[in-house]
């Protein structure tokens, strides 16, 4: 499996991702892709980064590994954590380190 990096997602900010939930799906938008501070561990295979996804739904999905699909990036498994709720929906974060 290829190690994903920030550059894989940087061009997809603003694009749609679908979470597959068996018979249904939930639409997310990649709202932000940004680098995180480097810890400096020897042998790191990638620089750490964060992705923020926004859902228009008010239903909060639990933190867990989800299958996400994107028209450009294809299908991937990403661990999402709900981190905020506002009038526009729910914000989920994925951290890669």
């Amino acid at each position: 499996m290829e190690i994903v990096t920030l550059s894989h997602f940087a061009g997809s900010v603003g694009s749609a991702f679908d979470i597959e939930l068996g018979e249904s799906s939930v639409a997310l938008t990649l709202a932000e892709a940004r680098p995180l501070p480097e810890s400096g561990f020897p042998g790191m295979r990638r620089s750490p980064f964060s992705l923020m996804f926004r859902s228009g739904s008010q239903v909060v999905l639990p933190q867990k590994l989800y299958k996400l699909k994107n028209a450009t990036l294809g299908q991937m498994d990403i661990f999402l954590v709900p981190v905020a709720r506002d009038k526009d929906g729910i914000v989920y974060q994925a951290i890669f380190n």
Side-chain angles (χ1 to χ4, degrees):
M1 180 177 162
E2 181 182 358
I3 300 292
V4 295
T5 63
L6 178 60
S7 64
H8 285 96
F9 294 96
S12 295
V13 172
S15 68
F17 286 75
D18 291 318
I19 296 178
E20 297 193 7
L21 301 172
E23 298 294 318
S24 64
S25 66
V26 173
L28 300 177
T29 300
L30 180 58
E32 178 183 275
R34 67 179 170 88
L36 294 173
E38 300 240 1
S39 305
F41 293 115
M44 285 179 56
R45 297 178 66 188
R46 71 170 157 229
S47 296
F49 65 97
S50 167
L51 302 176
M52 302 296 274
F53 294 91
R54 177 172 283 284
S55 167
S57 171
Q58 289 296 326
V59 176
V60 179
L61 299 174
Q63 71 177 24
K64 71 176 204 169
L65 190 65
Y66 290 98
K67 285 199 179 306
L68 274 71
K69 268 195 205 175
N70 174 267
T72 303
L73 299 174
Q75 183 173 307
M76 63 201 76
D77 294 331
I78 298 180
F79 191 86
L80 295 176
V81 177
V83 294
R85 168 185 273 172
D86 61 20
K87 63 180 177 53
D88 297 322
I90 309 299
V91 178
Y92 297 90
Q93 184 176 34
I95 301 237
F96 295 80
N97 49 25

